[in-house]
Every structure is written in C-alpha cells, then in structure tokens.
Amino acid sequence: MALVRRDISRVYQLLRRLGITQKRIAARTGQSQSEVSEITKGRQVMAYDVLARIGDGLGIPRGYMGMGYSPGVAVDGPSGGREDEDVQRRRFLAAAASAVVGATLDFGWGQLGPLRDVTSPTPVPGRLGLEDVRRIEAATGALKALDYQQGGGSVRDAAIAHVSWCRRLLSADCTEAVRGRLLSAVANAHRFAGWTSFDVGLADAARYHYVQAVELAKQADDHGLMCSVLYAAARIELHNGAVNDALKLFQLGEIPAADAGDARAGAVLAANQAWAYGRLNRPGLAASAMARARRDFARAQEYGEPERPSWAAFFTAADLAASEGMMHLEMRDGDPFRAIPLFEHSIGLRTELTARSQTFERIALATGYLRAGDHRLGVPAAVAAVSAAEQLQSRRVLDRLTPLKEEAARRRDPDCQQLVHEITTVQSQYAA
C-alpha cells in the first residue's frame, strides 16, 4: 500500500531496513543525501516530477504508483479486488532492492503475479451541502500553504487534480445558496491551479485556468474573486515584461475591488501598479500609486476586513514594504539605498510559512547591495538567496535570479564571477 499511497517515506524506511544506504538511494533517485534523510524521517513527496524520478530511479513502473499506465500493470477487473498488502510490500521490496543494488535478489517470496492498478474515479455525491463546499475550500487552502512554503512545482499536479474533482461536483444537485458558494470554490481552485502553473513557467496553462476562474466568479457574482484573478493574470504579464498589459489588468481589477468594498485588495493592486510604474521608469506615477497602497492598507488595518474574507489577506506589512522596495529597485535611476532597508524590513517580518516570498526579497536585497557597491554584504546575501532558491520548486524564483546575475556579471572580482557561475548552474538544472 505504500506505493499506492505514494508514501515515499515508508518506501525509504523499508529500503533502509534491507541495509541499503541513504547514499545509494540518493544516487539512484538523483536526490541529495539530506533530502533522502528528510523524506525517510517523514517529509511528504507530492510533486509529480519528483515521484516520477524516484520511481524511475528505483525501477518502479509508474503504474504501480497510480501515475499512469505502465506495461505489465493490470487494471482492476470486474471484481475490483486488491492484492494483499503484504504481497504488494514484498513485491516492491524485491523490485526496488534489485534496482538499487544492481542485481536480482531472491528474498524467498516465490513468484508474484502482476500488481493491480487501484486508481479509479471517485464517485460524485448526488447532492451537495455546505459542508462539502467547505471541504473544497479547505483543500485549496491546504495546497496554497504548501505552495507558499515550497513553490508551485510541489503542488501543481495536485492542484490540477483538485480542479478536475471540483468541476465534476458542478453537476451535483444543491440549493441555490450552496450553488453560489460552490461556484466561487471551483473558481478559486482554478485560480490556484493557474497560479501554480505560472510559478513553474507555464503561462499559457495559467491563462486557461484564469479564464475559467473569471467565468465562474462572474456566475457566482463574486467581485472579490474576480479581482483576485485579474491580479494574478496581471502578475504573469509583469513577470514576462508586458508591463503596460499588466497595468491594464491591475487597473481593471480596481472595479471589482471597489464593488467588494475591499481596501486590502485595493492596496495590493496599487502596490503592484507602483512596481510596474517603477519598471517603466515613471517615478511620479509610481510614487502616487504607492501612496494609494499605503492609504488603502492603513484603512484595511483600521476598519478590519470586509464581511466576506478578503482574497488579499496574504498581503501584509512585509508585502507592502517589499513592493515599495521593488518600485525603487526597478527604476532606471532608482536609489538602491532606499530599497535596501525596505527589503531588510520585509525579510525580518517573514516566517518559514512564506519561504517563497522571503526568497524573492532576499534576491532583491542582494541585488540592491551589489548595485550600491557593497560587496561585503552583497556577496553573502546573494549566496544565501541562491541557496534558498534551490530549495523551492519555482521557475519564477529562478527567473528572478537573472537581475542578480546581471548585477554580479558587471563586477570583475572572483566572488561575483563565481556567483554568476552558480546562478547559471542552478537555472540550467531546472530547465533540464
């Protein structure tokens, strides 16, 4: 059952009991020994690409792990029966140990037949209640928490599967009140699937999910969610350099934000407009947008959240400071000495629950140090930022290393040249 559940922690524990070292497992799966150690101790593996690499490295057909068809893996017949768990466990140990040590091992278990694939669609309830919708919302929230900590690559496949399940629920019977809440929940699931797609560099897939999310949010008359999707879509364009298109989407999002009466959402949109204007080197417009962001953020703090929880609840004082720092850093004639304390402040407010955001800010801080000519602080900060970026499964994070690499490339000292080499290596490994 460890394979069916994709319980890689249990798999590694069983291999260790057979005397197979962590070093040997790491060599076969392309992982570091520290990563193998963390998984053995209980860390979950959720990303499809990592599961596939582990399975391939250990010689385990993907069908055994419910990850698609594999030759020789039979599908459940009409009886729908399953093999005994002990038989499955023994089969895996024989196959995996054989793959790891490079020779066929006989554990004295005799001939074992083919493993059955137990994957099949989960039945959709005939009628939905509010509790069913709350479960969807909770699942989306749990996936978002992992995304914040580990990057979109760690959860995107789960997010896509979650969307597929959610859409199937739209055919179930429910009251009008539940229907509206369900439409919003499914729209939010699409929005999250789009965000994780964006994070791993799949902009077209992200846009597809955002279109679905906008349509469902419109049906639900959910202004706040529509605003959220427009913000997320704008971030794609900002990241890819289409700054004017990003500004149009940020500005369009202000309409549903106003309809929702959500001051925090207004702060998010204004702060990102300030960032975009900074990239366009429009200091007057950037400063005006940032002033609006501060005002709306203060209003949200003073009067509390709207009746309905804000999608922009993620936007804290750390995000406000970081946005202002990016505004200064992006401007052609920007002053890095104005950006640096803002990034230092935002990083100080972060926790491990927002590892990706903190990594973005560490990268920007290191860039600011180098731009200000402070190699004493800049190089160690850059090394720490690159190390943090390596721990995340996020194409966006690695893309954001490029300005740091370009800044280091302008310096001739050996430390900066080594930094350029390290960033190039990390970015190319992800691309591979």
Side-chain angles (χ1 to χ4, degrees), residues 104-349:
T104 301
L105 301 182
D106 183 4
F107 289 92
W109 293 331
Q111 184 64 35
L112 299 172
L115 180 69
R116 297 177 184 273
D117 186 351
V118 297
T119 58
S120 57
T122 304
V124 175
R127 186 170 180 81
L128 293 181
L130 190 57
E131 191 57 39
D132 296 297
V133 180
R134 288 195 182 112
R135 279 194 284 269
I136 294 174
E137 296 167 342
T140 305
L143 291 171
K144 283 183 178 180
L146 286 172
D147 168 62
Y148 269 122
Q149 295 173 54
Q150 301 174 15
S154 67
V155 294
R156 181 176 181 267
D157 286 298
I160 300 301
H162 179 52
V163 164
S164 177
W165 165 247
C166 291
R167 288 201 69 93
R168 291 175 61 210
L169 294 177
L170 291 172
S171 63
D173 289 334
C174 57
T175 65
E176 283 303 308
V178 171
R179 172 69 57 185
R181 181 92 171 251
L182 175 64
L183 287 167
S184 288
V186 180
N188 194 33
H190 265 297
R191 192 260 190 211
F192 177 65
W195 187 257
T196 59
S197 299
F198 166 40
D199 200 47
V200 299
L202 301 175
D204 287 345
R207 292 187 185 100
Y208 163 79
H209 285 290
Y210 290 156
V211 168
Q212 302 301 313
V214 165
E215 289 297 324
L216 289 165
K218 182 178 180 181
Q219 292 178 43
D221 199 28
D222 191 334
H223 300 293
L225 188 52
M226 289 183 68
C227 175
S228 169
V229 177
L230 291 168
Y231 157 76
R235 286 295 298 269
I236 294 179
E237 310 312 331
L238 184 61
H239 182 80
N240 290 330
V243 184
N244 286 312
D245 289 337
L247 278 167
K248 290 173 185 175
L249 287 166
F250 286 136
Q251 291 160 359
L252 191 60
E254 292 181 327
I255 298 172
D259 289 338
D262 190 344
R264 191 178 292 268
V268 173
L269 295 166
N272 279 270
Q273 287 177 65
W275 179 359
Y277 282 127
R279 184 169 289 187
L280 292 173
N281 206 40
R282 305 289 297 275
L285 291 173
S288 176
M290 185 53 64
R292 290 203 318 274
R294 290 197 211 95
R295 182 192 65 223
D296 285 347
F297 186 77
R299 190 155 57 92
Q301 296 288 93
E302 182 179 356
Y303 296 109
E305 302 300 337
E307 182 177 335
R308 219 174 150 171
S310 172
W311 65 269
F314 75 90
F315 193 80
T316 65
D319 297 278
L320 184 64
S323 298
E324 187 170 358
M326 290 303 301
M327 178 190 77
H328 291 298
L329 198 64
E330 292 277 17
M331 277 192 269
R332 189 164 55 246
D333 303 318
D335 182 358
F337 290 102
R338 298 184 69 181
I340 286 170
L342 290 164
F343 292 128
E344 290 174 335
H345 178 60
S346 64
I347 291 168
L349 295 174

Side-chain angles (χ1 to χ4, degrees), residues 55-127:
D56 293 345
L58 297 178
I60 306 166
R62 295 188 184 184
Y64 287 13
M65 300 169 72
M67 298 168 66
Y69 172 76
S70 293
V73 179
V75 178
D76 272 349
S79 65
R82 298 184 181 182
E83 291 181 321
D84 179 76
E85 180 177 358
D86 188 53
V87 174
Q88 293 186 31
R89 184 186 304 114
R90 291 176 179 180
R91 176 195 319 286
F92 166 70
L93 287 172
S98 175
V100 171
V101 301
T104 301
L105 301 182
D106 183 4
F107 289 92
W109 293 331
Q111 184 64 35
L112 299 172
L115 180 69
R116 297 177 184 273
D117 186 351
V118 297
T119 58
S120 57
T122 304
V124 175
R127 186 170 180 81

